[in-house]
């Protein structure tokens, strides 16, 4: 057994013996030789403490699905051409990527479909993390590059809105967005690039979103 293990065991034994010693001391010093049971239990509880944490991490929501684009009114998009344009713009990382992809959507007269997610944060929550994984695949050959684009809009209970434009230059990647855990109702709007069947054979986009909180354990 390691020295660390022996030390931990000894510390635990010492802690376990403290309540008993205190009880004996109180009984011996009490003039009547007895002690109220409620007081006794309170003493033991305070000395032993609570080994469980006051806060625990919890998954509020896990959701996944496919990104879709839809044609605007009177549009007849060429989905194969759209997929080629998207890939051309995510093979070379750059600050202009989101702007270029939006230009493609305007040129092709298409829009991204929006996914709405709502959740509640309780009072006294310590941490709130929003994790978003993008999975983008292409079928233009075994060595064809992959990548895509997502937009994440976060609206807190005070109507503060944050928009994350997320270009992705690889097939799969996860981003984490820590938030100030304001109590109340939150809304997330999520959209991204992806073609629906049967055109997803050319190009597809998928998301996995997970919302985690560190909140009081009794919630």
């Amino acid at each position: 057994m390691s020295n660390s293990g022996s030390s931990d065991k000894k510390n635990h034994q010492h802690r376990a013996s403290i309540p008993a010693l205190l009880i004996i001391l109180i009984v011996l010093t009490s003039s009547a030789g007895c002690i109220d049971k409620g007081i006794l239990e309170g003493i033991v509880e305070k000395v032993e403490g609570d080994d469980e944490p006051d806060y625990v991490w919890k998954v509020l929501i896990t959701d996944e699905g496919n990104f879709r684009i839809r044609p605007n009114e009177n549009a007849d998009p060429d989905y194969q051409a759209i997929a080629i344009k998207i890939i051309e713009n995510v093979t070379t990382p750059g600050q202009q990527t989101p702007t270029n992809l939006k230009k493609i959507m305007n040129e092709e007269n298409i829009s991204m479909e929006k996914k709405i997610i709502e959740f509640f944060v309780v009072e006294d929550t310590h941490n709130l993390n929003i994790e978003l994984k993008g999975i983008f695949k292409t079928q233009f050959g075994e060595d064809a590059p992959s990548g895509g684009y997502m937009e994440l809009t976060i609206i807190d209970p005070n109507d503060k809105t944050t928009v994350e434009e997320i270009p992705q230059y690889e097939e799969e990647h996860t981003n984490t967005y820590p938030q100030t855990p304001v109590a109340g109702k939150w809304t997330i709007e999520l959209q991204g690039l992806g073609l629906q069947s049967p055109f997803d054979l050319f190009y597809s986009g998928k998301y996995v979103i997970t919302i985690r909180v560190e909140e009081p354990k009794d919630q």
Side-chain angles (χ1 to χ4, degrees), residues 92-214:
T92 305
Q95 293 182 347
Q96 294 302 312
T97 298
T99 301
N100 292 340
L101 293 172
K102 289 179 180 179
K103 285 181 179 178
I104 292 172
M105 286 186 279
N106 288 333
E107 292 170 357
E108 298 295 335
N109 204 14
I110 56 175
S111 302
M112 296 180 292
E113 290 188 1
K114 189 177 293 185
K115 169 76 174 180
I116 307 294
I117 298 172
E118 296 178 340
F119 62 94
F120 288 85
V121 172
V122 301
E123 293 282 354
D124 299 322
T125 295
H126 271 187
N127 291 289
L128 166 61
N129 287 340
I130 299 172
E131 301 172 7
L132 176 60
K133 177 192 289 186
I135 305 169
F136 297 94
K137 296 183 179 181
T138 58
Q139 301 296 332
F140 293 105
E142 187 175 331
D143 297 325
S146 295
Y149 176 73
M150 302 177 286
E151 285 185 9
L152 177 67
T153 302
I154 305 168
I155 307 170
D156 76 6
N158 297 325
D159 290 328
K160 177 185 176 183
T161 300
T162 303
V163 179
E164 303 286 351
E165 297 182 329
I166 313 164
Q168 184 168 311
Y169 307 104
E170 54 194 306
E171 181 175 312
E172 184 173 325
H173 187 73
T174 300
N175 297 280
T176 300
Y177 301 96
Q179 305 294 310
T180 301
V182 180
K185 178 182 176 181
W186 289 66
T187 302
I188 286 178
E189 299 175 355
L190 177 61
Q191 54 191 342
L193 293 175
L195 304 183
Q196 52 267 49
S197 179
F199 304 104
D200 56 353
L201 294 174
F202 302 124
Y203 179 78
S204 65
K206 181 179 179 180
Y207 67 86
V208 180
I209 188 166
T210 304
I211 299 168
R212 304 178 192 272
V213 292
E214 187 185 21

Side-chain angles (χ1 to χ4, degrees), residues 69-71 77-84 110 195-196 199 202-203:
I69 58 173
R70 64 173 183 268
D78 182 342
Y79 288 105
Q80 184 171 355
I82 293 170
I84 292 172
I110 56 175
L195 304 183
Q196 52 267 49
F199 304 104
F202 302 124
Y203 179 78

Side-chain angles (χ1 to χ4, degrees), residues 15 44-54 217:
R15 286 187 59 195
V44 173
E45 182 179 351
K46 289 180 181 297
V47 174
E48 288 186 341
D50 189 350
D51 291 335
E52 296 182 10
D54 292 331
K217 65 180 181 181

